[in-house]
Amino acid sequence: MTGIDTVADVRDALHSAGAEGVRIAGAGSWLHAGTASDAARRLDTRGLRGVVEYVPGDFTITVRAGTSLQEIAEVTAAEGQWLAMDPVAVADSTIGATIATASAGSLALGFGTPRDQILGCTLVTGAGNTVNAGGRVVKNVAGFDLVRLNTGAWGSLGVITEVSLRLRAMPTEDVTIAMDIRDDAVAARQWLRATSHLPMAAVIVCARTARRMGLGDEATLLLRFGGNSQFAAAAVRDAGSLGRAIVIDSPWPALSTPDDSWMLEARVSLRPSRMADAWSSFDRLCDTERLLQVYDVGRGVVRLTGADAGPVAAIQTWAAAAGATLIVERGLQQGTAAHVSDAQSALRDRIRAAFDPRGILNPGIMDGFT
């Protein structure tokens, strides 16, 4: 479906949609995620773009869902501000898709996930109703929390057309240090719990990833500190208790930009304490399957990438045995969906029926997630 430029266009498109449903898409960055959707038509939201309202004094911005992450970055940088989200996405990936997938990168440690940074949204439900949820200000407690319900719903409850977001001041200093910790995830997590210099990001990249980034031949801890010069210097000294630290050029764009060769992208999450215990077995799995991994130490989230989608089944087996949550953003196909309990399935179906009684929004796509 082309020519989707207004909320009215979205409503009209959904009213005219047949039983085969529609596949909602922005720039198409996450179209390989979930189980294969059997929708017959594609609803292209890229025409819903542009800044609706930007109030630098309030550190808030409202944009249409088809606005790219790059455009938001350019607009806010002019005011010394930024949207502290770094999902694994290309520059023209849209904010609507970022919210719909709830995709979060390493900055989630310091600033939270998209659910923590979205203030409000407008969406059109599968019944064709326009819903305004949340608001445009930080203090907003009115009504049910439909904003967070739709964040991460993968468009199964409504077509997001507009979002209001919380911004941050750009740090005066943005410093990244690297250190070889020989896979000692436990030591890194203990330091994070004790330090008064909380980093914006703290990840361990596996040895294969470290080699690709020119960081050496061992698993490497990367810590990113932001603030004034005094804080950054003190934070670097504090982190030195973990081992010899080297200040490096920012590696984060390389970690948040997908490679065209990747056929598999997934994220596995456990409580940080449980992930530390499960790390050895998980590391062996990744060695066997030749997967690249980036472990968010503070959050217990591991992002996996690979040139072959074949390891999906092995990852699913490990995640099920460990009680982990698995979301596959690229590589999961029809017939390989992860197990969902009867209670989860029933709740999911009731919520979806309330928002999309005809079942026309991204049919099938949520069936691959635990």
Side-chain angles (χ1 to χ4, degrees):
M1 300 178 184
T2 58
I4 303 296
D5 299 316
T6 67
V7 174
D9 291 337
V10 175
R11 285 199 303 266
D12 291 344
L14 296 184
H15 279 307
S16 64
E20 71 277 9
V22 296
R23 179 70 165 96
I24 306 163
S29 301
W30 282 285
L31 288 182
H32 302 283
T35 51
S37 176
D38 53 8
R41 293 189 286 176
R42 177 168 164 170
L43 195 159
D44 190 333
T45 62
R46 285 176 295 179
L48 297 167
R49 64 182 304 166
V51 176
V52 176
E53 182 181 49
Y54 179 22
V55 186
D58 289 341
F59 287 84
T60 61
I61 189 170
T62 299
V63 297
R64 303 174 85 201
T67 308
S68 70
L69 298 175
Q70 180 63 34
E71 183 177 347
I72 295 173
E74 291 172 355
V75 169
T76 57
E79 297 290 339
Q81 297 177 356
W82 66 325
L83 176 62
M85 292 185 192
D86 59 344
V88 176
V90 294
D92 64 352
S93 293
T94 63
I95 187 62
T98 305
I99 297 301
T101 60
S103 184
S106 57
L107 286 174
L109 175 65
F111 302 102
T113 67
R115 285 188 176 90
D116 301 304
Q117 302 191 58
I118 181 172
L119 304 172
C121 68
T122 299
L123 64 142
V124 181
T125 69
N129 300 317
T130 302
V131 176
N132 294 306
R136 296 184 178 182
V137 294
V138 174
K139 280 194 174 182
N140 182 21
V141 295
F144 296 105
D145 199 349
L146 298 181
V147 178
R148 287 177 175 80
L149 180 63
N150 280 275
T151 304
W154 292 75
S156 63
L157 305 180
V159 181
I160 297 174
T161 60
E162 182 178 296
V163 296
S164 296
L165 303 158
R166 179 199 305 260
L167 302 175
R168 310 283 179 167
M170 282 187 172
T172 305
E173 297 287 338
D174 189 339
V175 178
T176 298
I177 61 174
M179 58 185 68
D180 172 7
I181 61 167
R182 305 282 174 175
D183 286 329
D184 194 351
V186 175
R189 180 172 171 271
Q190 289 174 341
W191 178 84
L192 279 175
R193 293 179 62 186
T195 185
S196 60
H197 299 96
L198 184 68
M200 297 189 294
V203 303
I204 296 174
V205 297
C206 70
R208 289 178 300 281
T209 305
R211 283 192 292 270
R212 286 169 62 97
M213 299 174 65
L215 296 175
D217 295 322
E218 301 291 342
T220 302
L221 174 66
L222 301 176
L223 299 175
R224 182 178 185 182
F225 297 103
N228 59 35
S229 57
Q230 291 84 358
F231 174 86
V236 171
R237 288 195 299 271
D238 185 5
S241 62
L242 282 170
R244 188 172 68 91
I246 302 172
V247 177
I248 62 172
D249 292 336
S250 174
W252 307 103
L255 291 177
S256 61
T257 303
D259 190 308
D260 290 340
S261 67
W262 293 352
M263 297 301 294
L264 168 66
E265 295 177 52
R267 60 183 191 261
V268 178
S269 59
L270 276 169
R271 290 196 305 272
S273 58
R274 294 187 59 199
M275 180 60 82
D277 294 336
W279 177 256
S280 295
S281 65
F282 189 71
D283 204 34
R284 287 194 296 272
L285 167 68
C286 293
D287 278 341
T288 301
E289 301 292 349
R290 305 296 296 170
L291 297 171
L292 302 177
Q293 55 179 311
V294 178
Y295 172 33
D296 190 321
V297 185
R299 297 175 56 238
V301 177
V302 179
R303 180 169 289 276
L304 305 170
T305 56
D308 180 7
V312 165
I315 298 170
Q316 287 176 317
T317 299
W318 185 93
T325 298
L326 168 66
I327 294 180
V328 179
E329 296 184 356
R330 180 191 297 260
L332 191 58
Q333 300 298 321
Q334 196 69 43
T336 60
H339 174 70
V340 178
S341 71
D342 291 341
Q344 288 175 312
S345 179
L347 177 60
R348 178 194 64 195
D349 291 345
R350 288 199 299 272
I351 293 174
R352 292 177 70 176
F355 284 85
D356 182 21
R358 291 186 293 159
I360 62 171
L361 298 176
N362 285 347
I365 192 172
M366 284 291 287
D367 298 336
F369 301 146
T370 57

